[in-house]
Amino acid sequence: MTILVTGSRGRVARTLLGLLHAQGHPLRAGSSDPGALDPPGGIPAVRCVLDDPGTFGPALEGVRSVFLYAGRSTGAATAFAEAAAAAGVRHIVLLSSSAVLEPGGADNLLAGHHAAVEAALSRGPVPATFLRPGDFAGNALRWARSIAATDTVRLPYPEAHTLPLHEDDLAEAAAAVLTAPEGHPAPAYTLSGPQSLTFREQADLIGEGRGRPVRVETVDPAEWKAASGIPAPYADALLDHWRAHDGTPLTPAAPLVDHPRTFSLWAAANAASFA
């Protein structure tokens, strides 16, 4: 059973390829730039771009399961599902987002493209499972330059809670569904880290991991937005999201993996990024 893993330059997909390769599954790595890939064990790499249906046929030939990273592409999701069905694909696992579950998710800039791809696959001819992670532990790397240079991170809502998910846990969940879809019959799974943490608490754990405390400074949301470099509509959406969870602990999702990894473990493993 050949498994196509798209978005293979990303951390989750690279980890997933390693897991599936270690389990002995025939694999194919898909990317918009296959020449830039270095997949383990000589896994063949192919060009596969959701916005370019001309790449679907060669990428899907002989494939039975697909890990689909749709990015912000939505228009060709229906065409991809139809091409997958024609190639004999039996199951698609989509990397989506838990943001689709929030009120107005389909119209939310952070979730709208995920909701659109989910809808297209739901109408399509190939059974699909949606993995809906929330915040990744790796999102904290956006603080790395400031912490390494000044021992400080500046945040508009330091008491906002998230459920930081270790990317390796997401890869393990994807591998479980791809290799045994009959054991995971739900159409969608919400994924999160095991503990609700504020940004301030995450900064403290990063400090512990690198052996030097991290100061947290509260800045005005407008000041953060101006300095973020993020396009204004997306910065506003992030600020709205953090404001909604300011001071409010979140409930972890039921894990798809045994012993989900903590943010503390992630912070220790990535200490060098904040040194």
Side-chain angles (χ1 to χ4, degrees):
M1 178 188 71
T2 298
I3 300 173
L4 170 66
V5 177
T6 71
S8 289
R9 283 187 295 170
R11 165 67 186 275
V12 173
R14 294 198 310 271
T15 303
L16 176 59
L17 284 168
L19 286 173
L20 294 172
H21 176 67
Q23 295 172 5
H25 297 285
L27 298 168
R28 187 174 299 154
S31 170
S32 61
D33 185 9
L37 300 180
D38 184 24
I43 295 169
V46 297
R47 179 170 162 80
C48 185
V49 185
L50 199 63
D51 286 333
D52 184 0
T55 66
F56 296 166
L60 290 166
E61 184 177 357
V63 167
R64 292 296 175 266
S65 296
V66 176
F67 176 76
L68 182 60
Y69 171 68
R72 297 195 178 277
S73 303
T74 58
T78 298
F80 183 87
E82 292 172 350
V89 171
R90 298 172 185 168
H91 200 82
I92 295 172
V93 176
L94 173 70
L95 177 56
S96 184
S97 169
S98 63
V100 301
L101 302 174
E102 297 188 3
D107 300 318
N108 187 305
L109 281 175
L110 301 179
H113 59 287
H114 293 294
V117 174
E118 285 194 11
L121 294 182
S122 294
R123 296 189 299 265
V126 178
T129 301
F130 308 140
L131 299 183
R132 295 168 172 167
D135 293 280
F136 291 120
N139 289 350
L141 289 171
R142 63 179 177 263
W143 306 336
R145 181 178 298 181
S146 175
I147 290 175
T150 68
D151 295 331
T152 302
V153 60
R154 297 168 181 84
L155 302 170
Y157 295 103
E159 309 310 325
H161 278 258
T162 72
L163 292 159
L165 171 69
H166 199 298
E167 289 87 343
D168 288 359
D169 285 349
L170 173 54
E172 285 191 14
V177 179
L178 282 164
T179 57
E182 68 283 353
H184 303 87
Y189 292 92
T190 301
L191 306 176
S192 78
Q195 186 180 13
S196 182
L197 294 170
T198 65
F199 287 137
R200 188 184 301 278
E201 290 168 334
Q202 292 172 43
D204 288 343
L205 291 170
I206 289 169
E208 291 178 13
R210 70 181 194 141
R212 194 163 69 254
V214 174
R215 294 188 299 273
V216 175
E217 292 183 1
T218 303
V219 298
D220 183 80
E223 179 182 347
W224 175 88
K225 177 181 173 180
S228 70
I230 300 172
Y234 293 97
D236 287 336
L238 283 170
L239 289 168
D240 289 344
H241 177 74
W242 295 333
R243 186 183 302 111
H245 301 295
D246 189 26
T248 305
L250 304 172
T251 302
L256 267 182
V257 299
D258 295 331
H259 310 297
R261 297 167 175 85
T262 64
F263 185 83
S264 178
L265 182 67
W266 180 91
N270 290 273
S273 297
F274 302 92

